[in-house]
Structure formats: C-alpha cells, structure tokens
C-alpha cells in the first residue's frame, strides 16, 4: 500500500503553538496545513514515508523535513501533524497502530512513551544505532529512548527546567534546596512577596516537581535493568516529600501553590510577587517583555540539589521511533538516525525554539543562556519510559499530592507509590 493511500483517510486539522525554549522566542501557527493534505504538511508531492508528530512547533519540524527532502529528493518525507496536546497525540498514534492502519512510518513520541509503545510491539528495535548516539546525544535523552536496556527510539529534541530568581532580591542563586528555602524566606519577608512558585497542582507538572527533588536527593525509581522498583531505597523519597510538606506548611510555597500550573507560576513571578520560580525556559521572553514587573530584575540558574553538587531537571522533549507497521522501515530508520545526528538538522532546532539533543550543538555558543541550558540538559533525568508510566504518574499525583498538603499519611503514600512503580513495569 502506498504512503499516500495509507494516509488518505487519516487527515486531521491541527492548531500549533510553539514556545521559546532555546533562543527564547515565541511562535504560533494555527489552521489548515498548507497544500490541502489534511493533517500533512504538504512538503512532498510524492512522499516515500510519513513522519507523525506533534502539531506544536510546527514550523521547526517543517524546516527539518525540508532539509531532508533537499538532501534526499528521491526519498522524500511528509509530515502528519498531530494535535498539540500529548493526550490527543498518544490517542491518535495508538488508534493508527491498534487498527493496523499503518499510516505512519516514523513516530514522534513524547519521551515518557517509549516503554508503553515498545511493550505493545509497536516499535522496531533501534539497538544497532546505540554506538552512533551514545556519547553524542544527551545522556538523559538516550535513557528516555530505551526500554529494558534496548533502544526503541532515537533522541530528537529536548527540554529542561530552570530556577528563576530575582536579582534585585537575591545576590547569588542557591546551590542547595536548604539555601533556597532560607534565602527565599528571608527575601520574601523583607519584600512582602511570596518565596517560591512552581507547579504544585495535581497533574504531571507536580510529578516532575517532586521527581526533581527526589532525584536531587540521590533517588532512582528503578534498577538499571528496569525490573523492579527502587523508589524507597535510601531516604530520597522521604527527603523530597518532607521538603514539600514543610514548604507548604510554613508558607514558603506561595498561597495557592497546591493548585498552581506553569502559567500560574509565571504570572505571579512576572508580576513581581515571588522571589524564586521553577519553570521551563518558555517563560524567559515573557518575563523580559513589555509590562513585566521583573524585566531586567531576574536571572536563571540550574535547579539546586540537596548536596549542593550538580543539578537535576526532569527531561522533556521528543524521540523518533520506527513503526512496526511501516512499509519502508529501512528508509524510516535512516531518517530517525539522521534527525538525531545530523549537525545541520539539530542546528535548526538550536536556532529556533527547541533544545537539540546532539551535544555538539551546544559547543561554542555565544549566548550564556544557551550554555546554561546545555549544562542543565547534560545532567537532566528522564522520567522512566516504562509501559505503565501514565499509571505511575497518577499514583504519584493521587498519593503524594494529598500527602504534602497534610491530607494523607506520608509513609502510607510513599508505600503506595512504591507498589505502583512495581506495577508500572508489568502493565500491559
């Protein structure tokens, strides 16, 4: 079956919105894709294979596809843009695979989906490419692309969290969570503002905020072979939850932190109402913009740790995988390797609004913020790409969110998460 025939019944409309991350610019696109190709980008009149991925940051992905098509005129790619939201993307990909439609050759996967898709047999193994990406791609991105020590995807784009701080209230950014608590409390008292804003609502943002504390205390969710939970080994889980509980009880967290998402935190910080903020890089251009109360009075730094050594951030981003239903698996494999390792393709990301995963893309940059983001991403942690990650995430939300606000016993909540982590490894 031809690519065009397989694609014909699968058109969708998308509305894409990109946000600044690397060069810290904001772009948006919305409406029917050009070329009249439904959900396709219309980049190839006679495509040989189809790349399905998020409709967000659309123009950047189109530029990458055009570069491939210029270099490979007889092996052209077309893009099928999925919805911008992760849940809708996942649903569309599963629908195509479960129905055996096979409309997509290359799958653009959120970094937390690898184990789930691989466990269902929907992805081709890409283990043969390990020597090509280890040491050249961000280590956390490589981790996110494998399941039980086998590669099922290759890194494409990334993202990481930063600590925002008020330079008019704080002389130097903290390197430990204790220092952040102490300096934030003191500065907030003097200025009459809140000490800290971040993502405290019961959703995935809360999960990554907790995991960043957990990882920075030395915790790891699973053993290296991803065969059993190590969530409660050591005291990292208790340390992280204790910090959140104390921060909530003492008012270190801003009022309403337990229902705060990314843009709530950004709005409060931008209004000059907080000393510190944990957020993604998209906030920088907004904080620098017209009408911002903190323009010229903030800076970014790596998130602290409990020891003061290094940093850690939850890793975001996209990986590319080859569908087990692809009619052109060899060509699809060439493309995902090229997208991960080609310097010019990765530079397109670096020059736009997506952090690349090729480490050399961060070499010899003249922007201090790009250098900082490269340092953060080099030490970032991948959320475990296990089959039951979504269920594990819900278990963290359902147990640890009420625990840190005093509505559930902390020890029992941690035990329940540990059990959910073990179950996540076996979920079908």
């Amino acid at each position: 079956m031809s690519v065009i025939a397989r694609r014909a019944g699968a058109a969708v409309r998308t509305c894409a919105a990109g946000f600044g991350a690397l060069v810290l610019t904001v772009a948006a696109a919305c409406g029917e894709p050009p070329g009249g190709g439904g959900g396709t980008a219309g980049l190839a009149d006679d495509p040989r294979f189809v790349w399905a991925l998020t409709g967000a940051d659309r123009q950047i992905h189109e530029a990458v596809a055009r570069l491939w098509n210029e270099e490979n005129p007889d092996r052209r790619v077309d893009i099928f843009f999925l919805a911008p939201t992760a849940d809708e993307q996942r649903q569309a990909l599963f629908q195509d695979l479960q129905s055996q439609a096979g409309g997509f050759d290359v799958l653009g996967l959120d970094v937390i989906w690898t184990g789930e898709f691989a466990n269902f047999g929907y992805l081709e193994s890409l283990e043969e490419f390990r020597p090509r990406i280890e040491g050249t791609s961000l280590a956390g991105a490589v981790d996110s692309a494998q399941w039980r020590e086998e590669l099922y995807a290759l890194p494409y784009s990334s993202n990481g969290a930063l600590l925002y701080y008020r330079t008019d209230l704080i002389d130097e950014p903290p390197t430990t969570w204790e220092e952040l608590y102490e300096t934030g409390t003191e500065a907030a008292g003097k200025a009459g503002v809140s000490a800290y804003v971040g993502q405290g609502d019961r959703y995935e943002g809360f999960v990554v905020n907790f995991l960043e504390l957990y990882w920075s205390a030395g915790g790891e969710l699973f053993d290296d072979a991803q065969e059993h939970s190590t969530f409660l080994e050591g005291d990292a889980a208790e340390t992280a939850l204790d910090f959140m509980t104390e921060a909530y009880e003492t008012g270190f967290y801003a009022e309403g932190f337990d229902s705060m998402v990314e843009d709530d935190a950004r709005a409060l910080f931008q209004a000059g109402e907080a000393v510190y903020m944990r957020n993604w890089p998209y906030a920088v251009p907004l904080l620098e913009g017209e009408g911002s109360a903190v323009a010229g009075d903030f800076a970014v730094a790596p998130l602290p740790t409990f020891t003061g050594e290094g940093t850690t951030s939850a890793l975001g981003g996209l990986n590319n995988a080859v569908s087990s239903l692809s009619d052109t698996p060899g060509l699809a494999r060439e493309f995902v390797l090229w997208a991960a390792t080609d310097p010019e393709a990765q530079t397109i990301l670096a020059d736009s609004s997506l952090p690349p995963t090729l480490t050399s893309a961060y070499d010899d940059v003249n922007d201090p913020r790009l250098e900082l983001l490269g340092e953060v991403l080099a030490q970032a942690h991948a959320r475990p790409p296990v089959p039951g990650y979504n269920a594990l995430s819900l278990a963290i939300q359902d147990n640890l969110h009420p625990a840190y606000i005093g509505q559930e016993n902390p020890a029992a909540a941690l035990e329940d998460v540990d059990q959910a982590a073990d179950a996540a490894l076996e979920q079908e």
Side-chain angles (χ1 to χ4, degrees):
M1 185 185 299
S2 73
V3 168
I4 295 177
R6 286 188 284 119
R7 196 178 59 207
V12 297
R13 295 178 64 118
T14 63
C15 176
F19 56 76
L22 207 72
V23 294
L24 310 171
T25 59
V26 178
C30 182
E32 186 73 18
T40 69
L43 294 174
D45 294 332
D46 185 23
R48 296 295 184 266
F49 66 103
V50 173
W51 179 22
L53 79 167
T54 174
D57 303 301
R58 173 179 179 147
Q59 295 176 341
I60 304 166
H61 305 312
E62 287 178 335
V64 172
R66 287 193 184 96
L67 177 63
W68 167 272
N69 288 342
E70 290 169 3
E71 296 178 355
N72 301 273
D74 297 326
R75 303 183 300 165
R76 297 168 64 83
V77 64
D78 208 353
I79 305 179
F80 189 98
F81 282 116
L82 306 168
T85 63
D87 287 346
E88 291 174 293
Q89 296 162 31
R90 179 172 168 271
Q91 181 180 3
L93 292 174
F94 264 116
Q95 182 176 359
D96 178 78
L97 293 160
Q98 290 173 339
S99 68
Q100 298 287 300
F104 312 132
D105 302 287
V106 176
L107 310 178
L109 302 180
D110 189 292
V111 291
I112 61 176
W113 295 343
T114 308
E116 183 179 24
F117 278 73
N119 203 48
F120 276 108
Y122 291 152
L123 307 181
E124 294 285 325
S125 173
L126 300 177
E127 183 63 24
E128 67 195 80
F129 296 134
R130 185 179 294 276
R132 300 287 301 276
I133 65 166
E134 283 194 333
T136 60
S137 293
L138 296 168
V142 176
D143 288 343
S144 74
Q146 58 189 356
W147 161 235
R148 289 191 167 164
E149 301 182 294
E150 184 167 359
L151 277 171
Y152 285 97
L154 296 185
Y156 173 58
S157 69
S158 190
N159 205 1
L162 299 171
L163 176 69
Y164 293 73
Y165 67 98
R166 292 275 298 277
T167 54
D168 55 332
L169 303 177
I170 298 294
D171 293 330
E172 296 290 337
T175 59
T176 69
W177 288 107
E178 181 180 8
E179 182 186 357
L180 177 140
Y181 183 93
E182 292 174 351
T183 58
T185 300
E186 181 181 359
K190 291 179 179 178
V193 299
S194 298
Y196 187 88
V197 292
Q199 294 72 53
D201 199 4
R202 189 186 292 198
Y203 77 119
E204 183 65 18
F206 163 76
V207 176
V208 299
N209 275 241
F210 170 79
L211 288 177
E212 285 163 351
L213 289 164
Y214 173 76
W215 287 323
S216 72
E220 291 294 343
L221 286 164
F222 300 104
D223 64 316
D224 290 342
Q226 293 178 321
E227 293 178 345
H228 65 86
S229 169
T230 56
F231 178 68
L232 289 181
E233 291 186 7
D235 61 359
E238 185 178 359
T239 297
L241 186 56
D242 283 350
F243 180 89
M244 295 195 75
T245 302
E246 182 178 358
Y248 182 81
E249 290 177 347
T250 62
F252 175 77
Y253 286 159
E255 184 177 355
F257 183 86
D258 57 333
S259 61
M260 195 174 291
V261 300
E262 279 84 355
D263 230 33
D264 298 326
R266 190 272 309 163
L268 283 171
F269 190 86
Q270 185 170 331
E273 294 299 321
V275 179
Y276 289 117
M277 175 176 71
R278 181 269 178 210
N279 219 324
W280 306 99
Y282 87 97
V284 170
L286 300 174
L287 301 179
E288 291 178 332
E290 184 177 352
S292 171
V294 298
D297 287 327
F298 79 95
V300 291
L303 293 173
T305 64
F306 283 101
T307 65
E309 299 294 326
T311 183
T312 189
S313 162
L315 193 77
L318 291 172
N319 298 323
N320 284 320
V322 176
S323 169
S324 59
L325 299 180
S326 173
D327 289 341
T328 56
L331 184 52
R333 296 166 87 86
E334 287 185 49
F335 177 81
V336 299
L337 179 63
W338 172 85
T341 61
D342 184 79
E344 191 172 353
Q346 287 281 300
T347 297
I348 289 174
L349 306 184
D351 288 344
S352 303
S353 65
L354 287 178
T357 55
L358 190 66
T359 56
S360 62
Y362 297 93
D363 294 343
D364 302 322
V365 294
N366 296 319
D367 186 338
R369 287 177 181 156
L370 301 191
E371 293 181 22
L372 172 63
L373 189 55
E375 294 171 8
V376 168
L377 292 174
Q379 301 177 68
H381 268 69
R383 285 163 286 171
V386 297
Y389 177 80
N390 287 334
L392 173 58
S393 174
L394 288 174
I396 293 174
Q397 296 170 43
D398 292 345
N399 289 281
L400 301 190
H401 188 276
Y404 95 88
I405 62 175
Q407 296 179 356
E408 186 171 328
N409 179 273
L414 293 173
E415 287 285 352
D416 287 344
V417 171
D418 185 49
Q419 293 176 19
D422 265 329
L425 291 169
E426 305 299 332
Q427 184 166 319
E428 295 292 340

